[in-house]
Amino acid sequence: MATPMEEDLPEAGAAPPPSDVAGGGAEDGEKPADRPPSDADSDSSDSDDGGDGGDELRIQALERALQEQPLDYDSHVQFIQLLRKSGNIEKLRAAREEMNKYFPLTPKMWQEWAKDEISLSSGRGSFDDIEKLYECGVQEYLSIKLWRDYLDYVEEHDQSVSQCTQSGLSKMRDLYERAITAGGLHVTEGSKLWEAYREYEMAILTMSDGNDEEKAKQVQRIRVLFHRQLSVPLADIESTLAEYKSWEAEEGSTKDQDSQFEDVPPNVLSAYKKASEMYNARKQYEDQLSDTTESEINKLQVFLKYIKFEESCGDPARVQVLYERAVSELPVSSDLWMGYTSYLDRALKVPAILKSVYHRATRNCTWISDLWVRYLLSLERIHASEDELRHVFEHAIQCSFPSMKEYLDIYLTRVDSLRRRMPAGLDFEVIRQTFVGAAEFLSPQLGTEELLLLHAYWAKLECNIGKDLAAARGVWENTIKKSGSVLEVWQHYISMETEMGHIHEARSLYKRCYSKKFAGSGSEAICHAWIRFEREHGTLDDYDLAIKKVTPRLKELMMFKAQQEAKSDPSSAPKETSYANDSSQKRKASKMTSKVQPPAKKRKDVPPKKMAPSDVHGSKDQSTNSDLQEAGEVSRGKAEASMEMKAEGVNQGGNTSSNQPKPHVYRDKCTAYVSNIDFTATEVDIRHFFSDIGGVTDIRLLRDRFTKKSRGLAYVDFSDKEHLEAAIRKNKQKFLSKKVSVAYSDPSKSKKNREAGIASKGQDKLPSGGDHDEKAPADGSSEKEMPKGDTKMTGKSTLFAPRSVIKPLGWNKSDKPDVVAEELKSNDDFRNLLLKK
């Protein structure tokens, strides 16, 4: 039987026709074969001066480029085109083999390669080589044309087949069955394989001798082929039925050929009707796929819908063929390959099919790390050998992936597989070497999180499987040498020692790292972690030692952070300090102005009135004591005046400085008052506490004016009422080590409470005896009416006050003058004693 391409094959020794192979998908294999060069082409090439020389220069340039970049697909394709045009068959063969090492070839490229080799073939050795080419081609992609070429070539050139020997018949029938399995379910083109199979069996029938038994077997074999084809939903199923009825009539089995279903066996008729219904259900998808104007994206969507429909029908063979059709037309679609391999892992689980599909998937989409990971896992499921697993792993890490994390996934998948197969007799040294290779390859470019994942897994396996504690510690020590400033490295190392019960070693690690500088709040975190560790595992001495070591370190960190905040935002640092030190003065500014007077104003008070005659005998001593108290009052007044100036921003004389800007006044319209704050918390910690609701515009953490330490109180300003209400809902939530109280800040209400408290204190100081109907004078009037020589005492301290100005216990206005005189006389003795000293 002649092959369909026999008339197109060039004569032996002739140059191969030029190729128009493009670096696209395998769908190019469905295009018509290349035409030989025409006379017009020859004339054009002859008229082109130096054309051959230009091609030779391009060949040399592409050869050099491929030596430097062997993974350049387009350069491979152009190189093969030029070599095929030049007729250098040896170099062309080497170029094709080199390209096939890195990339799968399209069906069209396999056809061209086979045609070129057939044109030069001679002898049995050439037949075997060409047969291997076809075998490789039909395994790369599903191509009905390539299968037909393969079948025709074997049928024509294999002597055992052409001579119809028993071995030849078995070989050919096995090859046809393979073709039917691969593409017989192809809805639009599968019938071509069925027809070729029937034609071959019919040719055998015509060549059979007069043995009726053998002839009957052959007739039955052809009938079975018809029945099998009629049960498959193919595009031309109706014409197949008509052909079947015609053949049966020739054989004398049917009488009425005009009736469509007359004399058709019931089982065949039932299968035919079911196949017709199946085809009608798939026709809409086939019509969309046959539209050549559709883009690849639209075609992919059609294939995915079609595949989903076939999966719902529950026939794995049909799903597999449809996937093969899809990847043949869209070979670099990772979605198709991921879906295909996932379906095979889930539904078929046939080792040979899984290996073939994963091998082709990783050759078409080398940059998809998930395919390599699944490939390794699939090989492990089917109990592949260690050599095969190692080969795939080594090939995977040589590919190019978008990120280092994908390389890490492949390394970890390899380690997982080795760990699971350790009971089978694997040496732990293989795992160790894999980790060493991963660390050397990934560490320079790996992130902190991935680096910790790798080394933590390594150290864990060294302890649990390798039983080598020293090696596990060596893993962490080497990591510390490279990344000792990463807090998580120390935490993982300490966690390993703690979990194994090595408390002393864990404590030693805390002593090594508590003074190190870590990013963010890591330095504070490791200090607190040490204290918590000693609380849970250590003795009292260990706990005291940790406190002794950690306390100065924490103070140093707080000071450093305050300095950095001041440097980064110099305008906000004084403002925060002012709020921390003088917030109470600012919020009590109106009251402070009325109670604290600058010394200059005190010296301008109204002169005292003339003393009563009853007080003349003590006027001299009282004037002396008044001078002493006035000096103390002046010094105290200066301090109070300076504090007032700091709070109000005015000069001592009352004039506002024109050079200094007025301080910002906080109206507390959208302010939350936060109390019971941990004393170690800073403004950054508070801002982080409210970070989940946002809207924070300012934070005023109140601090002690002398020690600068936090008072556990803060005012937090928000941008609007919504954020403020969200902050109020965080009331009684835990912040660091305490549950904070969050409430609305209401300065007007606080002022009323303070004034009410002051009034109540004044009422407590009213005399307990005397005329109850007499009203107590106001503070302002009492100060104006007080003589200059008299000294006003504030507060409870009377240690350095002369007893003449201290109200005797139980004294009131109702006491008799002689009693008062007696008290004053006793006070004279005290004053005389002070004057002598």
Side-chain angles (χ1 to χ4, degrees):
M1 297 174 61
T3 63
M5 301 174 61
E6 183 178 359
E7 58 185 17
D8 296 332
L9 294 177
E11 298 179 358
S19 171
D20 58 351
V21 177
E27 60 184 343
D28 295 339
E30 307 302 321
K31 296 178 181 179
D34 299 320
R35 60 178 178 83
S38 63
D39 296 338
D41 295 336
S42 301
D43 296 341
S44 176
S45 62
D46 292 340
S47 62
D48 187 7
D49 295 337
D52 294 339
D55 289 344
E56 187 64 29
L57 292 177
R58 290 183 62 194
I59 289 173
Q60 295 176 2
L62 287 171
E63 191 172 8
R64 290 191 299 268
L66 288 173
Q67 290 177 354
E68 298 176 358
Q69 298 289 339
L71 297 179
D72 189 347
Y73 184 90
D74 292 335
S75 296
H76 277 290
V77 174
Q78 296 174 17
F79 189 43
I80 291 173
Q81 287 176 347
L82 291 174
L83 288 176
R84 194 162 187 257
K85 182 179 179 181
S86 67
N88 191 340
I89 193 65
E90 294 297 332
K91 212 167 186 178
L92 176 62
R93 183 183 296 118
R96 283 166 167 162
E97 292 175 351
E98 185 68 16
M99 180 179 180
N100 195 35
K101 284 171 53 179
Y102 301 104
F103 304 103
L105 304 183
T106 65
K108 183 177 180 180
M109 296 175 75
W110 284 111
Q111 285 179 296
E112 291 174 347
W113 192 353
K115 286 168 61 178
D116 295 343
E117 294 294 342
I118 291 172
S119 65
L120 302 174
S121 64
S122 61
R124 180 68 187 180
S126 299
F127 173 80
D128 294 339
D129 292 339
I130 295 172
E131 189 177 27
K132 290 178 181 178
L133 285 179
Y134 276 118
E135 278 292 333
C136 293
V138 296
Q139 290 177 9
E140 291 279 21
Y141 299 107
L142 173 60
S143 172
I144 304 301
K145 276 192 171 185
L146 188 59
W147 268 110
R148 285 294 305 269
D149 291 351
Y150 184 16
L151 293 167
D152 293 341
Y153 175 77
V154 173
E155 187 177 349
E156 181 72 21
H157 294 84
D158 193 327
Q159 294 182 1
S160 63
V161 174
S162 60
Q163 295 175 3
C164 295
T165 64
Q166 191 63 35
S167 61
L169 292 175
S170 299
K171 176 181 178 179
M172 200 63 206
R173 284 167 178 162
D174 291 342
L175 189 59
Y176 269 115
E177 289 294 338
R178 286 180 53 201
I180 292 297
T181 302
L185 298 178
H186 195 300
V187 175
T188 56
E189 298 185 7
S191 58
K192 297 178 181 179
L193 296 176
W194 289 102
E195 292 172 359
Y197 197 180
R198 289 200 319 270
E199 290 175 0
Y200 174 74
E201 295 294 348
M202 288 179 180
I204 299 300
L205 178 61
T206 58
M207 291 186 297
S208 62
D209 53 15
N211 191 338
D212 294 338
E213 184 178 356
E214 291 295 331
K215 186 176 180 180
K217 287 182 179 180
Q218 189 63 23
V219 169
Q220 184 61 26
R221 187 175 285 113
I222 296 173
R223 181 177 290 112
V224 169
L225 283 176
F226 269 118
H227 292 175
R228 288 172 60 187
Q229 183 178 357
L230 288 172
S231 65
V232 178
L234 299 175
D236 52 355
I237 190 171
E238 294 181 357
S239 62
T240 302
L241 179 63
E243 186 177 354
Y244 169 61
K245 288 177 63 64
S246 176
W247 179 82
E248 288 286 6
E250 293 177 0
E251 294 297 324
S253 300
T254 59
K255 298 179 180 179
D256 188 5
Q257 299 184 26
D258 296 334
S259 178
Q260 184 178 6
F261 304 120
E262 188 69 24
D263 296 331
V264 177
N267 60 329
V268 177
L269 182 60
S270 175
Y272 168 80
K273 291 182 178 180
K274 183 178 180 181
S276 298
E277 293 176 359
M278 293 174 64
Y279 170 73
N280 292 330
R282 291 159 176 77
K283 190 175 184 303
Q284 56 173 333
Y285 301 108
E286 295 293 341
D287 292 341
Q288 296 180 45
L289 291 176
S290 61
D291 187 0
T292 57
T293 61
E294 287 285 350
S295 63
E296 289 189 354
I297 297 178
N298 293 336
K299 186 171 289 188
L300 173 62
Q301 296 302 320
V302 174
F303 267 121
L304 293 176
K305 293 178 182 178
Y306 198 175
I307 290 169
K308 187 176 181 180
F309 170 76
E310 287 290 3
E311 288 182 354
S312 66
C313 295
D315 189 349
R318 297 198 60 81
V319 176
Q320 183 183 359
V321 170
L322 187 55
Y323 266 121
E324 289 291 346
R325 289 178 58 186
V327 298
S328 177
E329 295 195 31
L330 304 170
V332 293
S333 173
S334 59
D335 292 336
L336 286 174
W337 287 111
M338 292 287 286
Y340 190 10
T341 54
S342 177
Y343 177 77
L344 293 178
D345 283 330
R346 184 176 66 254
L348 287 182
K349 301 180 181 179
V350 180
I353 297 177
L354 285 170
K355 288 182 181 180
S356 173
V357 173
Y358 270 113
H359 175 71
R360 293 185 290 132
T362 51
R363 279 170 59 82
N364 281 278
C365 300
T366 58
W367 62 92
I368 305 298
S369 62
D370 285 345
L371 283 174
W372 289 103
V373 170
R374 293 186 181 188
Y375 193 3
L376 291 170
L377 293 174
S378 180
L379 289 175
E380 186 181 358
R381 290 190 193 100
I382 62 178
H383 305 290
S385 64
E386 169 60 20
D387 293 338
E388 191 172 0
L389 283 163
R390 184 177 63 253
H391 174 74
V392 173
F393 165 71
E394 291 174 353
H395 193 185
I397 60 177
Q398 292 175 1
C399 297
S400 299
F401 300 119
S403 66
M404 297 303 293
K405 186 179 182 301
E406 295 176 273
Y407 288 100
L408 177 63
D409 291 340
I410 293 175
Y411 271 105
L412 293 180
T413 303
R414 170 66 171 164
V415 172
D416 294 342
S417 176
L418 292 171
R419 176 187 58 80
R420 287 188 288 263
R421 292 180 292 121
M422 281 296 294
L426 288 178
D427 188 3
F428 183 77
E429 187 63 26
V430 180
I431 295 180
R432 184 176 290 130
Q433 291 301 323
T434 305
F435 273 119
V436 170
E440 292 177 354
F441 180 65
L442 301 175
S443 293
Q445 306 178 60
L446 207 60
T448 302
E449 183 177 354
E450 291 80 10
L451 184 71
L452 287 172
L453 177 63
L454 177 66
H455 287 83
Y457 192 17
W458 185 1
K460 184 177 181 179
L461 293 186
E462 288 284 1
C463 289
N464 298 341
I465 300 179
K467 306 299 181 183
D468 192 344
L469 181 59
R473 288 172 177 165
V475 171
W476 286 118
E477 292 295 340
N478 290 332
T479 308
I480 287 174
K481 289 180 182 179
K482 299 176 183 178
S483 306
S485 60
V486 179
L487 172 65
E488 290 79 4
V489 174
W490 291 95
Q491 289 177 331
H492 280 73
Y493 193 0
I494 293 170
S495 177
M496 184 193 77
E497 296 287 2
T498 305
E499 290 176 0
M500 298 180 65
H502 301 155
I503 304 302
H504 177 71
E505 288 75 8
R507 182 177 295 112
S508 300
L509 291 173
Y510 275 119
K511 292 179 181 179
R512 288 171 57 186
C513 70
Y514 84 96
S515 60
K516 290 184 175 293
K517 183 179 180 181
F518 299 112
S521 59
S523 300
E524 294 92 333
I526 199 66
C527 292
H528 293 301
W530 186 9
I531 296 175
R532 186 169 56 255
F533 170 81
E534 296 296 356
R535 182 183 294 116
E536 296 174 358
H537 301 282
T539 64
L540 181 59
D541 292 339
D542 296 329
Y543 179 79
D544 291 341
L545 178 61
I547 293 293
K548 181 180 178 181
K549 295 283 188 180
V550 164
T551 301
R553 174 61 176 164
L554 290 174
K555 291 181 180 179
E556 179 185 354
L557 292 171
M558 291 177 63
M559 293 177 61
F560 178 76
K561 183 177 290 187
Q563 294 175 359
Q564 294 300 318
E565 290 176 355
K567 290 180 180 179
S568 62
D569 192 1
S571 62
S572 64
K575 184 167 62 176
E576 292 179 358
T577 306
S578 176
Y579 296 147
N581 296 339
D582 303 323
S583 60
S584 60
Q585 282 80 357
K586 286 193 174 185
R587 295 179 178 275
K588 300 177 182 179
S590 59
K591 181 177 179 180
M592 185 183 295
T593 305
S594 62
K595 293 185 68 177
V596 180
Q597 296 291 336
K601 292 184 178 181
K602 285 183 177 289
R603 287 195 293 269
K604 294 180 181 180
D605 285 344
V606 180
K609 297 179 181 180
K610 294 182 179 181
M611 291 185 293
S614 59
D615 296 334
V616 173
H617 63 277
S619 62
K620 182 178 179 180
D621 296 333
Q622 289 180 4
S623 63
T624 304
N625 296 331
S626 299
D627 292 340
L628 293 174
Q629 287 187 340
E630 186 175 358
E633 186 70 19
V634 170
S635 61
R636 185 168 64 253
K638 289 182 179 180
E640 294 174 349
S642 62
M643 183 172 61
E644 180 183 2
M645 290 169 62
K646 185 176 181 181
E648 298 295 336
V650 297
N651 293 334
Q652 191 173 7
N655 298 327
T656 305
S657 175
S658 60
N659 297 329
Q660 297 180 356
K662 294 183 179 180
H664 181 72
V665 179
Y666 291 91
R667 302 299 182 186
D668 289 355
K669 292 183 178 180
C670 294
T671 303
Y673 175 67
V674 187
S675 59
N676 199 33
I677 302 174
D678 191 288
F679 293 113
T680 61
T682 62
E683 289 84 352
V684 177
D685 296 328
I686 298 174
R687 187 178 296 275
H688 180 69
F689 177 68
F690 290 105
S691 60
D692 57 337
I693 61 174
V696 177
T697 60
D698 198 4
I699 298 174
R700 290 165 279 166
L701 181 62
L702 306 188
R703 302 180 185 273
D704 188 273
R705 71 179 64 181
F706 300 109
T707 63
K708 308 301 181 182
K709 293 183 178 180
S710 172
R711 294 168 55 190
L713 306 173
Y715 292 92
V716 183
D717 296 333
F718 292 90
S719 57
D720 49 41
K721 291 291 184 180
E722 289 76 8
H723 289 92
L724 176 60
E725 292 174 358
I728 298 302
R729 288 194 291 270
K730 294 177 71 68
N731 185 34
K732 300 303 179 183
Q733 291 189 12
K734 190 170 183 180
F735 174 42
L736 295 181
S737 61
K738 294 184 177 181
K739 290 185 178 180
V740 296
S741 298
V742 185
Y744 291 100
S745 177
D746 190 354
S748 61
K749 182 177 179 180
S750 300
K751 183 177 180 181
K752 293 177 182 178
N753 293 340
R754 288 195 298 269
E755 291 176 351
I758 294 169
S760 63
K761 291 181 181 179
Q763 292 175 2
D764 293 340
K765 294 181 181 180
L766 288 175
S768 57
D771 189 0
H772 295 285
D773 297 333
E774 185 178 356
K775 295 183 179 180
D779 293 340
S781 62
S782 63
E783 289 181 2
K784 290 179 180 180
E785 294 175 1
M786 182 177 294
K788 185 175 182 180
D790 295 341
T791 304
K792 177 186 177 184
M793 298 303 300
T794 61
K796 298 181 180 180
S797 177
T798 58
L799 179 60
F800 299 103
R803 295 178 65 182
S804 60
V805 297
I806 301 176
K807 181 173 63 176
L809 183 62
W811 182 87
N812 53 45
K813 294 181 178 182
S814 63
D815 291 340
K816 295 180 180 182
D818 55 346
V819 178
V820 175
E822 186 67 19
E823 291 291 334
L824 292 175
K825 183 178 181 181
S826 62
N827 291 338
D828 292 341
D829 298 336
F830 178 77
R831 285 197 302 274
N832 293 333
L833 181 60
L834 287 177
L835 292 175
K836 290 180 180 179
K837 291 183 177 182

